[in-house]
PDB file of all heavy atoms in Angstrom:
ATOM      1  N   ASP A 243      13.592  18.896  15.471  1.00 95.00           N
ATOM      2  CA  ASP A 243      13.223  19.829  16.448  1.00 95.00           C
ATOM      3  C   ASP A 243      12.999  21.146  15.815  1.00 95.00           C
ATOM      4  O   ASP A 243      13.779  21.755  15.039  1.00 95.00           O
ATOM      5  CB  ASP A 243      14.392  20.064  17.611  1.00 95.00           C
ATOM      6  CG  ASP A 243      14.605  18.660  18.335  1.00 95.00           C
ATOM      7  OD1 ASP A 243      13.738  17.916  18.674  1.00 95.00           O
ATOM      8  OD2 ASP A 243      15.825  18.309  18.290  1.00 95.00           O
ATOM      9  N   LYS A 244      11.809  21.767  16.201  1.00 95.00           N
ATOM     10  CA  LYS A 244      11.486  23.097  15.692  1.00 95.00           C
ATOM     11  C   LYS A 244      12.156  24.117  16.504  1.00 95.00           C
ATOM     12  O   LYS A 244      12.269  24.078  17.835  1.00 95.00           O
ATOM     13  CB  LYS A 244       9.890  23.298  15.873  1.00 95.00           C
ATOM     14  CG  LYS A 244       9.147  22.383  14.814  1.00 95.00           C
ATOM     15  CD  LYS A 244       7.587  22.651  14.836  1.00 95.00           C
ATOM     16  CE  LYS A 244       7.043  21.891  13.811  1.00 95.00           C
ATOM     17  NZ  LYS A 244       5.506  22.093  13.864  1.00 95.00           N
ATOM     18  N   GLN A 245      12.748  25.055  15.904  1.00 95.00           N
ATOM     19  CA  GLN A 245      13.512  26.098  16.516  1.00 95.00           C
ATOM     20  C   GLN A 245      12.694  27.399  16.693  1.00 95.00           C
ATOM     21  O   GLN A 245      11.742  27.583  15.910  1.00 95.00           O
ATOM     22  CB  GLN A 245      14.840  26.429  15.789  1.00 95.00           C
ATOM     23  CG  GLN A 245      15.722  25.258  15.453  1.00 95.00           C
ATOM     24  CD  GLN A 245      16.120  24.627  16.708  1.00 95.00           C
ATOM     25  OE1 GLN A 245      16.906  25.200  17.443  1.00 95.00           O
ATOM     26  NE2 GLN A 245      15.704  23.378  17.064  1.00 95.00           N
ATOM     27  N   ASP A 246      13.064  28.300  17.596  1.00 93.00           N
ATOM     28  CA  ASP A 246      12.390  29.584  17.855  1.00 93.00           C
ATOM     29  C   ASP A 246      12.370  30.402  16.572  1.00 93.00           C
ATOM     30  O   ASP A 246      11.381  31.252  16.469  1.00 93.00           O
ATOM     31  CB  ASP A 246      13.053  30.303  19.030  1.00 93.00           C
ATOM     32  CG  ASP A 246      12.885  29.529  20.330  1.00 93.00           C
ATOM     33  OD1 ASP A 246      11.953  28.666  20.454  1.00 93.00           O
ATOM     34  OD2 ASP A 246      13.699  29.743  21.272  1.00 93.00           O
ATOM     35  N   ASP A 247      13.302  30.392  15.770  1.00 93.00           N
ATOM     36  CA  ASP A 247      13.484  31.094  14.630  1.00 93.00           C
ATOM     37  C   ASP A 247      12.599  30.632  13.345  1.00 93.00           C
ATOM     38  O   ASP A 247      12.649  31.205  12.321  1.00 93.00           O
ATOM     39  CB  ASP A 247      14.856  31.366  14.094  1.00 93.00           C
ATOM     40  CG  ASP A 247      15.526  30.127  13.624  1.00 93.00           C
ATOM     41  OD1 ASP A 247      14.883  29.016  13.873  1.00 93.00           O
ATOM     42  OD2 ASP A 247      16.740  30.217  13.269  1.00 93.00           O
ATOM     43  N   GLY A 248      11.959  29.557  13.679  1.00 91.00           N
ATOM     44  CA  GLY A 248      11.047  28.973  12.594  1.00 91.00           C
ATOM     45  C   GLY A 248      11.695  27.889  11.864  1.00 91.00           C
ATOM     46  O   GLY A 248      11.055  27.351  10.891  1.00 91.00           O
ATOM     47  N   SER A 249      12.919  27.648  12.076  1.00 96.00           N
ATOM     48  CA  SER A 249      13.660  26.564  11.264  1.00 96.00           C
ATOM     49  C   SER A 249      13.614  25.172  11.862  1.00 96.00           C
ATOM     50  O   SER A 249      12.994  25.097  13.010  1.00 96.00           O
ATOM     51  CB  SER A 249      15.152  26.977  11.066  1.00 96.00           C
ATOM     52  OG  SER A 249      15.782  26.982  12.328  1.00 96.00           O
ATOM     53  N   LEU A 250      14.198  24.310  11.407  1.00 97.00           N
ATOM     54  CA  LEU A 250      14.245  22.961  11.852  1.00 97.00           C
ATOM     55  C   LEU A 250      15.592  22.524  12.130  1.00 97.00           C
ATOM     56  O   LEU A 250      16.520  22.757  11.357  1.00 97.00           O
ATOM     57  CB  LEU A 250      13.522  21.954  10.887  1.00 97.00           C
ATOM     58  CG  LEU A 250      12.061  22.203  10.501  1.00 97.00           C
ATOM     59  CD1 LEU A 250      11.688  21.173   9.433  1.00 97.00           C
ATOM     60  CD2 LEU A 250      11.199  22.050  11.682  1.00 97.00           C
ATOM     61  N   LYS A 251      15.783  21.788  13.260  1.00 97.00           N
ATOM     62  CA  LYS A 251      17.194  21.054  13.607  1.00 97.00           C
ATOM     63  C   LYS A 251      16.970  19.654  13.418  1.00 97.00           C
ATOM     64  O   LYS A 251      16.207  19.062  14.219  1.00 97.00           O
ATOM     65  CB  LYS A 251      17.652  21.595  14.916  1.00 97.00           C
ATOM     66  CG  LYS A 251      19.125  21.111  15.285  1.00 97.00           C
ATOM     67  CD  LYS A 251      20.044  22.023  14.613  1.00 97.00           C
ATOM     68  CE  LYS A 251      20.115  23.449  15.222  1.00 97.00           C
ATOM     69  NZ  LYS A 251      21.258  24.220  14.574  1.00 97.00           N
ATOM     70  N   VAL A 252      17.618  19.086  12.545  1.00 97.00           N
ATOM     71  CA  VAL A 252      17.356  17.591  12.277  1.00 97.00           C
ATOM     72  C   VAL A 252      18.542  16.782  12.699  1.00 97.00           C
ATOM     73  O   VAL A 252      19.797  17.181  12.414  1.00 97.00           O
ATOM     74  CB  VAL A 252      17.117  17.319  10.673  1.00 97.00           C
ATOM     75  CG1 VAL A 252      16.894  15.894  10.401  1.00 97.00           C
ATOM     76  CG2 VAL A 252      16.077  18.267  10.190  1.00 97.00           C
ATOM     77  N   ARG A 253      18.281  15.654  13.507  1.00 96.00           N
ATOM     78  CA  ARG A 253      19.218  14.827  13.971  1.00 96.00           C
ATOM     79  C   ARG A 253      19.415  13.674  13.115  1.00 96.00           C
ATOM     80  O   ARG A 253      18.474  12.895  12.858  1.00 96.00           O
ATOM     81  CB  ARG A 253      18.882  14.423  15.484  1.00 96.00           C
ATOM     82  CG  ARG A 253      18.719  15.632  16.391  1.00 96.00           C
ATOM     83  CD  ARG A 253      18.601  15.087  17.864  1.00 96.00           C
ATOM     84  NE  ARG A 253      17.519  14.194  18.164  1.00 96.00           N
ATOM     85  CZ  ARG A 253      16.328  14.531  18.377  1.00 96.00           C
ATOM     86  NH1 ARG A 253      15.880  15.812  18.344  1.00 96.00           N
ATOM     87  NH2 ARG A 253      15.264  13.583  18.655  1.00 96.00           N
ATOM     88  N   ILE A 254      20.568  13.675  12.479  1.00 97.00           N
ATOM     89  CA  ILE A 254      20.925  12.473  11.643  1.00 97.00           C
ATOM     90  C   ILE A 254      22.026  11.525  12.125  1.00 97.00           C
ATOM     91  O   ILE A 254      22.989  11.968  12.705  1.00 97.00           O
ATOM     92  CB  ILE A 254      21.347  13.033  10.248  1.00 97.00           C
ATOM     93  CG1 ILE A 254      20.294  13.882   9.599  1.00 97.00           C
ATOM     94  CG2 ILE A 254      21.649  11.944   9.281  1.00 97.00           C
ATOM     95  CD1 ILE A 254      20.569  14.601   8.447  1.00 97.00           C
ATOM     96  N   GLU A 255      21.860  10.170  12.105  1.00 96.00           N
ATOM     97  CA  GLU A 255      22.807   9.272  12.573  1.00 96.00           C
ATOM     98  C   GLU A 255      23.111   8.251  11.448  1.00 96.00           C
ATOM     99  O   GLU A 255      22.274   7.945  10.583  1.00 96.00           O
ATOM    100  CB  GLU A 255      22.141   8.488  13.785  1.00 96.00           C
ATOM    101  CG  GLU A 255      21.889   9.288  14.976  1.00 96.00           C
ATOM    102  CD  GLU A 255      21.174   8.598  16.057  1.00 96.00           C
ATOM    103  OE1 GLU A 255      20.813   7.421  15.832  1.00 96.00           O
ATOM    104  OE2 GLU A 255      20.980   9.215  17.135  1.00 96.00           O
ATOM    105  N   PRO A 256      24.364   7.683  11.541  1.00 96.00           N
ATOM    106  CA  PRO A 256      24.551   6.512  10.601  1.00 96.00           C
ATOM    107  C   PRO A 256      23.538   5.373  10.813  1.00 96.00           C
ATOM    108  O   PRO A 256      23.281   5.092  12.021  1.00 96.00           O
ATOM    109  CB  PRO A 256      25.976   6.139  10.979  1.00 96.00           C
ATOM    110  CG  PRO A 256      26.495   7.335  11.581  1.00 96.00           C
ATOM    111  CD  PRO A 256      25.388   7.997  12.352  1.00 96.00           C
ATOM    112  N   ALA A 257      23.187   4.758   9.764  1.00 95.00           N
ATOM    113  CA  ALA A 257      22.123   3.719   9.740  1.00 95.00           C
ATOM    114  C   ALA A 257      22.640   2.562  10.768  1.00 95.00           C
ATOM    115  O   ALA A 257      21.947   1.956  11.497  1.00 95.00           O
ATOM    116  CB  ALA A 257      21.894   3.179   8.456  1.00 95.00           C
ATOM    117  N   LYS A 258      23.871   2.311  10.839  1.00 92.00           N
ATOM    118  CA  LYS A 258      24.549   1.242  11.548  1.00 92.00           C
ATOM    119  C   LYS A 258      25.105   1.729  12.927  1.00 92.00           C
ATOM    120  O   LYS A 258      25.736   0.975  13.673  1.00 92.00           O
ATOM    121  CB  LYS A 258      25.660   0.517  10.760  1.00 92.00           C
ATOM    122  CG  LYS A 258      25.072  -0.189   9.517  1.00 92.00           C
ATOM    123  CD  LYS A 258      26.370  -0.910   8.742  1.00 92.00           C
ATOM    124  CE  LYS A 258      25.773  -1.618   7.568  1.00 92.00           C
ATOM    125  NZ  LYS A 258      26.874  -2.288   6.751  1.00 92.00           N
ATOM    126  N   GLY A 259      24.774   2.838  13.297  1.00 90.00           N
ATOM    127  CA  GLY A 259      25.103   3.411  14.478  1.00 90.00           C
ATOM    128  C   GLY A 259      26.491   4.341  14.399  1.00 90.00           C
ATOM    129  O   GLY A 259      27.158   4.112  13.563  1.00 90.00           O
TER     130      GLY A 259
END
Side-chain angles (χ1 to χ4, degrees):
D243 300 311
K244 293 184 177 180
Q245 304 298 297
D246 293 338
D247 64 358
S249 67
L250 302 172
K251 189 76 74 173
V252 185
R253 303 192 300 276
I254 299 173
E255 298 175 353
K258 295 181 179 179

